[in-house]
């Protein structure tokens, strides 16, 4: 119930709302001060946080979940992939969304997903991981940044990820409010080495670049093309 309430409020809370209104909150308050939008520039938003108004910020994310037989599912990027095993995790175990969430939080120099949404807190039991990513995106927007681009690598021996990459990438773009040209998803095996190669786990890496909103190109339609018919590399800034 807590997860459903948090997910429902993600799109309706004003950008000035503190994380304490959303769950996981006291933990963030111990690390950062809230930044309110008051019509200022992205640089000013960063300065109000007491940090340099950097034009670009880079973040790296990593996650791994073990696989076991039983009443579990393999959910990657919000897409359920049929398999004889599933993720053993406190939430839904979405290894990609956890990784991307951590990459964005890392780029913002914020606490990681385990600190904001600890796995010993019953309110996150079985929670859909898009709740965590939407919160990271909100924090990114609040601080005056937009997604520059993100590159993700999913490492799995089985199940095969490649047949599902387009669905995963499309859903990830929707969650990030990002153009397809700014989001990349790759899939690799582990050559039957270690726990991943022995089909006992799935891992993921992601590298993200954030850029200040005032420096980012803007366009309304993320699927629009340039005059020569090619897809332009822009950013969907209709974030709400």
């Amino acid at each position: 119930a807590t997860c459903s309430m948090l997910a429902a409020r993600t799109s309706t809370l004003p950008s000035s709302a503190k994380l304490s209104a959303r769950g996981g909150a006291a933990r963030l308050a111990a690390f950062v001060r809230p930044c309110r939008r008051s019509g200022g520039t992205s640089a000013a938003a960063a300065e109000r946080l007491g940090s340099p108004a950097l034009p670009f910020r880079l973040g790296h994310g990593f996650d791994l979940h073990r696989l076991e037989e039983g009443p579990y599912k393999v959910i990657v990027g919000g897409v359920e992939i049929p398999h004889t095993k599933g993720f053993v995790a406190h939430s839904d175990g979405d290894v990609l969304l956890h990784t991307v969430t951590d990459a964005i939080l890392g780029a913002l120099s914020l606490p990681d997903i385990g600190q904001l949404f600890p796995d010993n807190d019953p309110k996150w039991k079985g929670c859909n991981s898009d709740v965590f990513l939407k919160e990271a995106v909100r924090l990114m927007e609040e601080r005056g940044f937009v997604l520059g681009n993100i590159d993700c690598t999913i490492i799995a021996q089985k199940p095969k990820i490649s047949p599902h990459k387009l669905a995963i990438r499309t859903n990830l773009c929707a969650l990030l409010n990002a153009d397809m040209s700014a989001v990349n998803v790759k899939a690799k095996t582990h050559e039957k080495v270690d726990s991943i190669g022995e089909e006992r786990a799935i891992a993921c890496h992601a590298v993200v670049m954030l850029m200040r909103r005032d420096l980012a190109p803007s366009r309304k339609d993320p699927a629009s093309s340039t005059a020569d018919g090619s897809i332009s590399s822009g950013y969907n800034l209709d974030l709400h």
Side-chain angles (χ1 to χ4, degrees):
T2 302
C3 296
S4 299
M5 292 172 60
L6 179 56
R9 293 191 310 211
T10 300
S11 60
T12 58
L13 278 176
S15 59
S16 60
K18 298 180 181 179
L19 188 61
S20 57
R22 309 164 72 91
R27 302 174 188 91
L28 184 60
F31 290 87
V32 298
R33 291 175 291 155
C35 171
R36 299 178 180 272
R37 285 185 189 160
S38 57
T41 65
S42 299
E47 291 293 352
R48 285 196 296 274
L49 284 172
S51 59
L54 302 173
F56 303 100
R57 301 185 74 104
L58 301 179
H60 172 261
F62 170 79
D63 196 25
L64 179 148
H65 284 298
R66 72 182 188 274
L67 295 169
E68 288 186 6
E69 295 179 352
Y72 308 115
K73 298 178 180 179
V74 173
I75 299 176
V76 179
V79 176
E80 184 174 342
I81 299 175
H83 192 43
T84 58
K85 300 178 180 179
F87 289 132
V88 179
H90 188 65
S91 64
D92 64 4
D94 193 322
V95 67
L96 175 60
L97 296 192
H98 292 182
T99 297
V100 174
T101 298
D102 251 354
I104 293 173
L105 294 174
L108 297 170
S109 297
L110 293 178
D112 62 38
I113 188 173
Q115 292 172 280
L116 297 186
F117 306 100
D119 61 9
N120 58 2
D121 190 332
K123 69 166 62 77
W124 309 122
K125 179 68 174 177
C127 193
N128 291 335
S129 295
D130 59 354
V131 171
F132 309 144
L133 182 53
K134 287 177 181 178
E135 179 62 14
V137 170
R138 186 190 71 83
L139 292 167
M140 173 185 72
E141 296 169 10
E142 186 178 64
R143 282 151 180 76
F145 288 90
V146 297
L147 182 75
N149 73 294
I150 186 166
D151 186 29
C152 310
T153 302
I154 305 163
I155 310 169
Q157 197 67 36
K158 286 185 180 180
K160 292 295 184 183
I161 303 297
S162 293
H164 307 278
K165 280 203 303 184
L166 180 58
I168 292 170
R169 188 179 176 201
T170 300
N171 193 53
L172 187 57
C173 287
L175 291 171
L176 293 169
N177 299 303
D179 187 89
M180 187 76 81
S181 65
V183 177
N184 192 40
V185 175
K186 308 189 298 293
K188 306 288 183 183
T189 69
H190 214 245
E191 298 295 333
K192 300 183 179 180
V193 175
D194 295 337
S195 61
I196 299 173
E198 294 171 356
E199 304 173 29
R200 294 188 287 113
I202 292 178
C204 184
H205 289 269
V207 176
V208 65
M209 182 185 75
L210 309 183
M211 58 196 310
R212 280 206 334 245
R213 184 182 297 107
D214 54 317
L215 299 178
S218 176
R219 61 180 186 160
K220 294 183 178 179
D221 181 9
S224 62
S225 301
T226 59
D228 63 2
S230 61
I231 299 296
S232 61
S233 57
Y235 306 88
N236 176 13
L237 298 187
D238 296 327
L239 299 176
H240 296 288

